[in-house]
Amino acid sequence: MPIDTEAAPLAGHPLIGIEVEGVGTISSQWNNEDIIQAANFHDVFKRTPLVRSRSYANFRGVYITPEDSDNFGKSSPAELVSKPHRINDLNLLRLRNSVWKALGPRGVRTGQNTFNYGGTRTTDNRWGKFRPSSIGGSLQTTVGVGVHRLLSNNTNRRENCIKMLVGDRRKQRIVIAIAEAAVTAQQELFAAGAALWHHRNIPQIQVEGLRLSLFLAFINVVLTHSNRLGGGGSGWAKDALGANFKGYSSFIGTGTNNSDGILKLGARAMTYNDSDLVGRIRAVRGNGTITQAINDHVNNTNNQLLSLIGQRGLSIQTTVEQWNAIPNITHNGHLYTVVECREKTSKVNINMCTFLNAEKKDVLETSRSGLSHARTFRTTIRNHLGHP
């Protein structure tokens, strides 16, 4: 399927997972190395679990993937990746246990994979394990985030959520401005006489979906047109904003469309003058980067900013990483999207490190201290990220 393929949000629970670099090396021996030359080998192999923990299953366990190297496909630095875990005390404790069990002397070191490339290609993988004394700046956390917090009407809630995800203050200000622009744009679209005036009474979860589509569209505009982040076009790094926003961007992917498809905003773009919308976005405080990007975009698209909103493949995961975005989640009447915290100064990452390092061993799942540490971490991020 094309990498920008998207589907409706999934009913479920917001999840959390981690990646840890600097845990040794991974080597692979093939029965036939011709597969390494395949066009999509790199993108597939770098995300393939080469060594799996014994607890590897849905919502459980960790695994090893290869990082980029000159000898990619045969030998690479190893990265420890967790399966997405549910955000409750027991499953957070299981996450921590899996990490330290894998890094310990009894953890699994070998694995095998099979691929189809003009016949069967198999690889035997061996993890040259390195156990760090503690988990630190090499950690990144991917977490489900409530859109009702990320794009809240309440300025403090919105900004506190972003400051939990993004550490760098300059990047915080940019993301905060983009989020405010998305909220402002949704309110403008529902104003009297605007494009969605007749749909202003849609359920709140669809409002959240529309805001998320706007937010990801504006991120795309900023990353494409603003020179204030280091350049434009395909050269953007996925950490340009301090976080990788990985969720689906289309109206279908954000759940904005109902069964009748009444919110096909893109189809209205050629009949609705969006000068008021652009004007309100330009008025967002601290939005120098956005103003420049919006000006460039509307000049290049004949003043049709709306034509971008609700399109597929606008997440950073797709536009920068050239890979499939992640489905959004619906839970308890709210929409959740997926964000990867890229910086060691991210409060999510700082608190995750504190939790992982509280006891550097696997403990019983009934451990009072283990469950207490999990509860502390969960409570710290819960209120800011909108977890149930």
Side-chain angles (χ1 to χ4, degrees):
M1 293 187 298
I3 61 170
D4 65 350
T5 300
E6 297 190 4
L10 302 173
H13 296 264
L15 304 172
I16 194 167
I18 62 170
E19 302 173 10
V20 182
E21 300 175 347
V23 293
T25 59
I26 184 72
S27 59
S28 300
Q29 291 187 336
W30 297 87
N31 67 335
N32 189 329
E33 295 179 357
D34 62 348
I35 190 174
I36 295 176
Q37 306 304 318
N40 65 340
F41 174 78
H42 175 270
D43 288 341
V44 173
F45 195 67
K46 73 180 291 187
R47 296 172 172 86
T48 300
L50 301 182
V51 176
R52 298 171 174 86
S53 67
R54 293 184 179 90
S55 59
Y56 182 92
N58 287 336
F59 312 118
R60 293 289 300 273
V62 297
Y63 57 94
I64 295 295
T65 60
E67 296 189 75
D68 288 335
S69 70
D70 293 338
N71 203 20
F72 185 82
K74 298 180 183 179
S75 179
S76 291
E79 183 172 53
L80 181 72
V81 182
S82 80
K83 295 280 285 185
H85 284 58
R86 291 194 174 107
I87 305 173
N88 56 47
D89 297 346
L90 176 59
N91 281 286
L92 288 169
L93 179 58
R94 287 172 173 171
L95 169 60
R96 191 180 74 183
N97 278 348
S98 291
V99 170
W100 290 111
K101 190 178 296 184
L103 290 170
R106 297 183 181 180
V108 176
R109 293 176 179 268
T110 60
Q112 187 177 78
N113 296 88
T114 300
F115 302 85
N116 184 15
Y117 180 70
T120 299
R121 302 291 183 268
T122 60
T123 175
D124 292 304
N125 311 303
R126 178 168 290 276
W127 177 20
K129 188 180 303 187
F130 171 75
R131 177 187 169 101
S133 59
S134 61
I135 305 299
S138 65
L139 173 136
Q140 296 166 0
T141 306
T142 299
V143 60
V145 178
V147 177
H148 62 293
R149 288 303 177 99
L150 177 66
L151 302 174
S152 171
N153 285 328
N154 184 294
T155 300
N156 288 333
R157 289 182 179 178
R158 188 168 64 235
E159 294 186 1
N160 287 337
C161 177
I162 292 168
K163 289 177 180 178
M164 179 67 66
L165 300 169
V166 179
D168 181 88
R169 290 187 178 182
R170 174 175 170 272
K171 295 176 181 178
Q172 284 178 358
R173 289 194 295 270
I174 295 171
V175 178
I176 285 170
I178 296 173
E180 185 170 350
V183 173
T184 300
Q186 176 269 313
Q187 293 169 344
E188 172 62 28
L189 289 168
F190 283 5
L196 296 180
W197 164 249
H198 296 296
H199 306 304
R200 63 193 180 280
N201 294 321
I202 60 175
Q204 178 59 32
I205 195 169
Q206 286 184 292
V207 175
E208 294 171 10
L210 177 57
R211 288 184 177 182
L212 181 59
S213 285
L214 287 158
F215 178 68
L216 294 172
F218 292 164
I219 282 179
N220 183 271
V221 169
V222 170
L223 292 184
T224 302
H225 292 285
S226 174
N227 292 320
R228 299 192 179 194
L229 299 179
S234 61
W236 292 105
K238 64 182 177 181
D239 59 354
L241 298 176
N244 181 3
F245 295 90
K246 306 175 79 165
Y248 287 168
S249 62
S250 67
F251 290 144
I252 291 176
T254 63
T256 305
N257 263 341
N258 66 8
S259 58
D260 298 322
I262 61 172
L263 295 180
K264 293 182 179 178
L265 187 57
R268 298 172 178 267
M270 301 308 293
T271 59
Y272 173 67
N273 184 338
D274 61 0
S275 59
D276 290 340
L277 172 63
V278 174
R280 285 201 64 183
I281 294 171
R282 287 171 176 160
V284 168
R285 58 198 174 97
N287 75 337
T289 297
I290 295 178
T291 295
Q292 177 191 358
I294 293 296
N295 287 341
D296 290 344
H297 179 79
V298 297
N299 289 337
N300 293 342
T301 57
N302 193 26
N303 206 40
Q304 291 300 331
L305 178 61
L306 291 181
S307 61
L308 181 68
I309 299 163
Q311 290 187 15
R312 301 178 303 177
L314 299 183
S315 73
I316 298 178
Q317 178 80 350
T318 303
T319 57
V320 174
E321 284 290 275
Q322 295 296 301
W323 196 247
N324 309 92
I326 298 178
N328 298 307
I329 298 291
T330 59
H331 184 75
N332 283 353
H334 287 295
L335 181 69
Y336 290 80
T337 191
V338 181
V339 181
E340 179 186 31
C341 302
R342 301 284 303 163
E343 304 166 303
K344 65 181 180 181
T345 54
S346 161
K347 290 182 182 178
V348 171
N349 286 338
I350 291 171
N351 282 282
M352 176 61 82
C353 287
T354 299
F355 165 58
L356 293 175
N357 293 324
E359 291 179 274
K360 300 171 186 177
K361 60 182 181 180
D362 58 291
V363 300
L364 294 176
E365 293 184 354
T366 56
S367 164
R368 290 186 178 181
S369 62
L371 291 171
S372 176
H373 294 144
R375 188 175 305 112
T376 298
F377 170 75
R378 177 178 59 81
T379 303
T380 300
I381 68 171
R382 174 186 182 183
N383 292 334
H384 294 296
L385 303 187
H387 295 156

